Amino acid sequence: MVSPLIKWDSQGTPYSVVFDDMYFCAVNGYEDALYIFCGGNHLEERFKKLDPVVNGIFTIVETGFGTGLIFCVVWKLWKEYAPASWTLNFLSVEKYPLPALELERALGVWTILKPQTDELIANYKVPSDKVGVFNFDRGQVRLTIVFDDIILGLGTIAQEGLARPWADALFLDGFSPQKNPEMWTENVFAGLARLSGVRTTLATFTVAGWVRRGLESQGFRIKKVQGYGCKNQMLEGSFLGLRKDSLT
């Protein structure tokens, strides 16, 4: 059954019907995710530095699960570089979930991710209570998706303590701010700040000025850096914990 939420172009690129924007580019979507979100948060280096004698948790919060491509890219990187004593805690919010068959079609492009995508598709479902929890790699990778509006979803993550004590990395991955402005509001940035601590970093594909200013107003240090592919530039940053309103 074809989902009314997604359409495909002749190159195999999936588009959101709701927002008329692509989920990823079929040509370099994998490389995009690896460069922008993993590279922008310096995940490879950070995974390598995790203490193998500690039973720790590394938490990532993502705004927009989409096809699950970025999760699978991070999962692959985690298996390659993180010590076995650590758990990847990946938290995502998705208001318009795709059915498993559409995820399978979208992710099938990336054979390099086949072990991850096969396991994700085999276990993926949208629960009736809006919160889906999926465990992979014998519990070393835990995926939690809150199927809800972004503000309510971030609130659920905070209220349930799912990112305790804070997120290590943030992925701002809603559709384009021009096409889906609800994902890029002051309330969203404030919700992300509430989940952030002294080691929290972030990355996003957009360089919209009001996104940068909104994040800075919530205590993030933001810089514009070299992008990848069709994204000439991107934003990355870290949480300072000093909002502008706290300095006046």
Side-chain angles (χ1 to χ4, degrees):
M1 180 178 178
V2 177
S3 170
L5 298 175
I6 192 170
K7 60 184 179 182
W8 305 79
D9 70 9
S10 60
Q11 303 300 312
T13 299
Y15 281 79
S16 166
V17 172
V18 177
F19 300 107
D20 192 28
D21 198 6
M22 64 180 177
Y23 284 95
F24 59 76
C25 176
V27 176
N28 59 8
Y30 170 81
E31 292 82 3
D32 268 349
L34 190 63
Y35 183 96
I36 294 173
F37 296 101
C38 297
N41 283 286
H42 310 283
L43 293 188
E44 180 179 329
E45 304 96 299
R46 294 168 75 184
F47 291 171
K48 289 178 178 177
K49 290 179 180 178
L50 296 175
D51 190 341
V53 303
V54 173
N55 294 317
I57 298 175
F58 192 98
T59 297
I60 295 172
V61 175
E62 174 190 52
T63 60
F65 186 73
T67 64
L69 173 62
I70 296 174
F71 165 67
C72 289
V73 171
V74 174
W75 179 1
K76 179 177 183 296
L77 200 71
W78 181 261
K79 284 182 64 70
E80 291 173 345
Y81 298 111
S85 60
W86 281 71
T87 298
L88 174 63
N89 179 33
F90 195 101
L91 309 169
S92 189
V93 181
E94 178 57 60
K95 186 176 181 180
Y96 300 99
L98 298 172
L101 285 176
E102 299 290 21
L103 263 62
E104 184 175 18
R105 178 178 177 182
L107 296 172
V109 175
W110 314 109
T111 55
I112 194 171
L113 295 172
K114 184 173 173 55
Q116 288 75 37
T117 59
D118 283 354
E119 193 169 348
L120 173 63
I121 299 305
N123 291 276
Y124 173 86
K125 63 179 179 179
V126 181
S128 58
D129 64 357
K130 293 190 176 182
V131 179
V133 180
F134 312 93
N135 288 290
F136 306 105
D137 282 349
R138 299 171 300 282
Q140 290 180 313
V141 175
R142 182 168 63 245
L143 167 66
T144 302
I145 309 175
V146 183
F147 296 99
D148 209 339
D149 172 83
I150 184 62
I151 298 297
L152 296 176
L154 292 176
T156 296
I157 290 173
Q159 291 161 14
E160 298 296 326
L162 301 178
R164 187 180 296 121
W166 53 64
D168 294 281
L170 304 173
F171 295 175
L172 280 67
D173 188 39
F175 290 109
S176 165
Q178 288 73 33
K179 302 208 173 178
N180 186 15
E182 291 182 3
M183 294 285 278
W184 307 92
T185 67
E186 290 285 348
N187 285 337
V188 172
F189 304 147
L192 292 169
R194 284 192 290 272
L195 299 174
S196 299
V198 294
R199 292 191 298 273
T200 303
T201 62
L202 70 83
T204 181
F205 63 88
T206 185
V207 292
W210 54 279
V211 170
R212 176 180 53 78
R213 291 188 294 272
L215 288 166
E216 288 174 340
S217 73
Q218 294 298 325
F220 292 93
R221 177 197 289 128
I222 302 297
K223 62 180 177 178
K224 190 183 295 184
V225 298
Q226 179 66 41
Y228 181 86
C230 62
K231 306 290 185 182
N232 293 327
Q233 295 177 308
M234 55 176 274
L235 298 179
E236 65 177 49
S238 57
F239 187 65
L240 300 178
L242 295 174
R243 300 173 181 81
K244 287 182 178 178
D245 57 9
S246 70
L247 301 178
T248 58

